[in-house]
Amino acid sequence: MGILIKGGRVIDPDTKLDEVTDVYIEDGQIQKVGKMKQGEADQVLDAKGCYVMPGLIDLHVHFRDPGQEEKEDIASGGKAAAKGGFTTVLAMPNTHPVIDTASRVNYVHHKAEEVSPIHVLQAGAITKGQKGTELADIEEMIQAGIPAISEDGKSVMNSQLYLDAMLIAKKHNIPVMAHCEDQMLVGSGCINDDEKAAELGLPGISSMVENIIVARDIFLAQDAGVHLHLCHCSTKQSVHMLQMIKETGCSVTGEVCPHHFTLCSEDIPGDNPNFKMNPPLRRQEDKEALRKALKEDVVDVISTDHAPHTLKEKEGSMKNAPFGVVGLETCVPLVITELVDKGILTPMQMAEKMSWNPAQILHLDKGSLREGKAADITIIDPDVEYMIDARTFVSKGKNTPFNGRKVKGRVTATICDGQIVYQAGQMENDL
Ligand code: DOR
Ligand code: ZN
Ligand code: ZN
């Protein structure tokens, strides 16, 4: 019952292999990396001209399950992830109710096993109900299998409480994933505080809103000795701080999302909620700093912050719409078009930032194409050109600023635990 992935450019950050060869999988595992004869497999996937990478891992998604399944649920989110080339995702806990107990963690993990084609891991909230006043039972959630804690959607503004949570995470060797936003400073802002906000007459969000909390969280994490992962870095100062603190040997990593390395506030065409996300699109100079930080490996991870909302919520003015854009089905083409094709990232760096590094941060035995590892594999054709069409998304969310954008590169197949969970052209609405 083996599958032979034939003649692709096999890129493995673990063994540092970057070579045109074959990968043979059977019994859910990678059996062999190297030239094989066609006859030895039951199924052959022709990967000529394609990248063959370890299954992509998205450290940052919102699946809205439980409570807001009209936006997304674990089944639709899992399918969208598979189509996007992801074999593992980490779901953020700002659901309704918030994932702040072991039984709610179990709900997500069990449902994912039943309905999701790919692995869905759940991050635990830091405070009860994300109210910022009392710690959630973090140890109980760790026993239930959370690989990280996060208060994503907001910051824990009480530094003492946050420090207490960090010490628990440190004790159990799991990372703290930080959404950095000063709750008081952000006010009712909805886009970056610059000329665009003035032009559109919209309240702004300054870079300080993010920068101040990045600095605080670094100091707190250093004191606790815990691994800090900075979510969705959007400002030049955030990545400068990341670089500085890395140079001191501190255990900190950072991620950047495709919307932040592709767009800036100048690209906002008007009062359009599909361009509203948190943190917001910043200035051109911030975007350039993020790209440079990706290139120089200051930024370790590319994540999507996949944040589906209903069409109705994303109508009208940015003033009232919720923050967030979908990202699972546009990430690979944006990385290829904006970073790989422009010589900012090598395909190997792409595999590091989208698979190997995320696996290391969560201490997962993934992100590798070594023989004997679970067969989580993504096959990508980097040359095919097309236009992004939100109507083809399998995510329930269609809220993207990239609709109609010309891109290059697409996922041709996603394999999870040895099973083909996505194959281009074989899904409803597919291109
Ligand atoms: O854009 C965002 N969407 N930023 C957040 O902080 C929350 C997220 C969501 O849950 O929609
Ligand atoms: Zn966030
Ligand atoms: Zn988020």
Side-chain angles (χ1 to χ4, degrees), residues 1 48 79 88 95 107-108 205 208 312 337 362 386 401:
M1 286 294 110
K48 194 158 169 274
K79 266 199 222 166
T88 301
T95 48
Y107 162 81
V108 173
I205 301 173
M208 255 191 324
K312 204 167 168 34
T337 310
L362 296 187
Y386 58 100

Side-chain angles (χ1 to χ4, degrees), residues 60-62 92 94 152-153 179 232 278 305-307:
H60 197 132
V61 302
H62 297 270
M92 289 296 130
N94 63 336
D152 190 58
H179 166 115
H232 45 53
N278 195 10
D305 201 0
H306 176 77

Side-chain angles (χ1 to χ4, degrees), residues 119-161:
H119 304 286
V120 178
L121 303 174
Q122 180 62 53
I126 294 172
T127 70
K128 285 188 180 159
Q130 290 190 293
K131 290 192 187 336
T133 49
E134 199 184 337
L135 283 191
D137 196 337
I138 295 169
E139 294 203 307
E140 174 194 90
M141 289 192 286
I142 293 170
Q143 300 314 322
I146 57 163
I149 53 171
S150 179
E151 197 85 329
D152 190 58
K154 49 174 94 165
S155 291
V156 179
M157 291 308 296
N158 179 331
S159 301
Q160 182 59 55
L161 205 58

Side-chain angles (χ1 to χ4, degrees), residues 321-333:
F323 287 102
V325 295
V326 288
L328 285 168
E329 293 165 79
T330 51
C331 187
V332 161

Side-chain angles (χ1 to χ4, degrees), residues 161-186:
L161 205 58
Y162 204 11
L163 187 57
D164 293 344
M166 284 181 175
L167 289 166
I168 298 169
K170 161 72 182 167
K171 181 173 153 205
H172 295 275
N173 194 28
I174 64 166
V176 175
M177 315 199 56
H179 166 115
C180 298
E181 176 186 6
D182 186 296
Q183 227 165 348
M184 267 55 83
L185 269 183
V186 70

Side-chain angles (χ1 to χ4, degrees), residues 176-344:
V176 175
M177 315 199 56
H179 166 115
C180 298
E181 176 186 6
D182 186 296
Q183 227 165 348
M184 267 55 83
L185 269 183
V186 70
S188 60
C190 57
I191 62 170
N192 191 49
D193 191 15
D194 58 23
E195 297 77 14
K196 184 56 87 171
E199 176 196 321
L200 297 177
L202 293 169
I205 301 173
S206 70
S207 291
M208 255 191 324
V209 168
E210 176 171 326
N211 301 339
I212 284 174
I213 302 297
V214 168
R216 181 202 66 162
D217 287 5
I218 287 170
F219 286 122
L220 288 173
Q222 222 170 0
D223 194 68
V226 74
H227 182 87
L228 179 72
H229 179 74
L230 297 171
C231 297
H232 45 53
C233 295
S234 74
T235 67
K236 60 180 181 191
Q237 294 91 348
S238 284
V239 291
H240 286 161
M241 284 189 271
L242 182 58
Q243 179 170 20
M244 265 163 38
I245 204 71
K246 277 184 165 187
E247 281 164 8
T248 70
C250 189
S251 183
V252 53
T253 47
E255 73 187 26
V256 166
C257 305
H259 43 274
H260 290 127
F261 67 64
T262 304
L263 301 171
C264 54
S265 60
E266 284 170 31
D267 300 315
I268 300 175
D271 187 355
N272 178 346
N274 283 333
F275 289 76
K276 179 177 178 182
M277 72 291 286
N278 195 10
L281 300 174
R282 302 289 190 184
R283 290 177 186 273
Q284 174 83 21
E285 66 204 54
D286 293 295
K287 183 179 105 174
E288 295 308 329
L290 301 182
R291 288 178 176 228
K292 184 165 180 279
L294 281 160
K295 185 179 174 71
E296 294 172 357
D297 291 334
V298 170
V299 168
D300 313 86
V301 170
I302 294 169
S303 71
T304 65
D305 201 0
H306 176 77
H309 293 292
T310 62
L311 278 177
K312 204 167 168 34
E313 285 171 302
K314 285 293 208 176
E315 277 167 2
S317 171
M318 277 168 138
K319 271 190 195 149
N320 310 313
F323 287 102
V325 295
V326 288
L328 285 168
E329 293 165 79
T330 51
C331 187
V332 161
L334 290 169
V335 169
I336 294 196
T337 310
E338 295 298 321
L339 304 178
V340 178
D341 252 29
K342 292 186 172 158
I344 294 169

